[in-house]
């Protein structure tokens, strides 16, 4: 893991040996979905139930600083909730950033602990061939594209780069692996307090021409093996995928296939297409559950903004 010192250094997250028996005390872990939409934020009554914010998911467990997957527009809603509870001052968290597409980074400057000050965030994201992660990130968060740069935020933010790595993070085990998308993209696995969560927000088998549509790479299986919850890209229906197979996303059926092959206990359909309103997602979820039942796959639900999903050790 490469640490980037170009921005004001954040206090390093506590790292070291992960406790050997995390399940000795039953501590619940919550997966809080703050943004579940893909590509672009959406507004309108057709998005009332599933939401229109882009990718941002929090993993929270007592005794651990929060771990956040991605920095989409859902991060603003999360920050607003922290501010309402008076929890911005002294806030500390680590972000596991999958990639640098707009829908996964737009929330950072609007995150209350950083925008108002008092917060400390370390962003761990994919190694960039063009230079340090902070430098590449700054290219899209600076004038003329945005009025301020990351170092002008009132809170402290630091950047670190990873590739195919395994590391400890504040009492949690984290695994990062490259996944197939249109630009360098990571998937993550987090194990803490006896539960495991895998997050593959953008994953498209069609981006590698020689891969069969049902092929699951070994790195993906390493991320998803036996997880309690798999949060996986499910942006396209089978009909949409015919013309969008190279766009870097997958079908709902492929997400279920990955979950079954990896032995995941639960699957959250994620990164919903902007064209899929509430009624469309109701139909997609119904069909997904029927398909999963036919192939003896996992329990399936569709992620929604503000959803709070509890995980406990088996």
């Amino acid at each position: 893991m490469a640490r980037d010192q170009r921005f004001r250094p954040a206090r390093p997250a506590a790292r070291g040996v992960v406790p050997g028996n995390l399940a000795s005390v039953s501590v619940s872990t919550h997966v809080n979905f703050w943004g579940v939409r893909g590509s672009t934020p959406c507004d309108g009554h057709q998005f009332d139930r599933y939401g229109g914010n882009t990718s941002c998911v929090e993993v929270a467990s007592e005794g651990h600083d929060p771990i956040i997957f991605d920095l989409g527009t859902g991060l603003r809603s999360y920050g607003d909730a922290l501010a309402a509870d008076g929890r911005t001052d002294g806030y500390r968290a680590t972000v596991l950033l999958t990639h640098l597409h707009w829908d996964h980074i737009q929330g950072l400057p609007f995150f209350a602990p950083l925008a108002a000050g008092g917060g400390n965030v370390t962003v761990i994201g994919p190694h960039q061939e063009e230079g340090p992660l902070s430098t590449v990130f700054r290219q899209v968060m600076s004038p003329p594209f945005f009025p301020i740069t990351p170092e002008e935020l009132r809170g402290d933010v630091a950047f670190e780069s990873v590739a195919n790595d395994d590391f400890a993070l504040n009492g949690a085990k984290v695994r990062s692996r490259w996944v197939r998308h249109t630009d360098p993209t990571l998937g993550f696995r987090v194990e803490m307090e006896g539960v495991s969560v895998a997050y593959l927000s953008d994953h498209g088998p069609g981006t590698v021409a020689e891969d069969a549509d049902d092929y699951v790479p070994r790195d993906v299986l390493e991320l998803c093996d036996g997880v309690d919850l798999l949060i996986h890209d499910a942006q396209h229906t089978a009909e949409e995928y015919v013309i969008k197979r190279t766009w870097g996303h997958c079908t709902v059926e492929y997400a279920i296939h990955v979950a079954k092959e990896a032995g995941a206990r639960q699957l959250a359909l994620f990164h919903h297409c902007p064209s899929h309103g509430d009624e469309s997602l109701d139909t997609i979820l119904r069909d997904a559950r029927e398909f999963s039942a036919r192939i003896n796959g996992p329990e399936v639900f569709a992620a929604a903004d503000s959803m709070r999903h509890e995980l406990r050790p088996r």
Side-chain angles (χ1 to χ4, degrees), residues 191-277:
E191 299 178 24
M192 61 194 305
E193 296 297 345
V195 300
S196 53
V197 179
Y199 179 81
L200 286 77
S201 65
D202 294 47
H203 180 206
T207 56
V208 179
E210 59 268 27
D211 284 354
D213 282 350
D214 63 350
Y215 173 65
V216 183
R218 178 177 296 180
D219 284 348
V220 170
L221 292 174
E222 285 187 6
L223 291 173
C224 305
D225 182 31
V227 290
D228 295 294
L229 175 63
L230 169 59
I231 304 167
H232 196 287
D233 183 324
Q235 182 153 339
H236 301 315
T237 64
E239 293 76 18
E240 292 166 341
Y241 187 71
V242 173
I243 61 172
K244 299 178 180 180
R245 59 176 294 111
T246 61
W247 290 23
H249 302 285
C250 72
T251 65
V252 175
E253 290 81 3
Y254 182 78
I256 296 169
H257 174 61
V258 170
K260 181 179 185 297
E261 290 296 300
R265 294 180 65 195
Q266 293 180 308
L267 169 66
L269 305 179
F270 191 74
H271 208 271
H272 305 313
C273 182
S275 65
H276 296 164

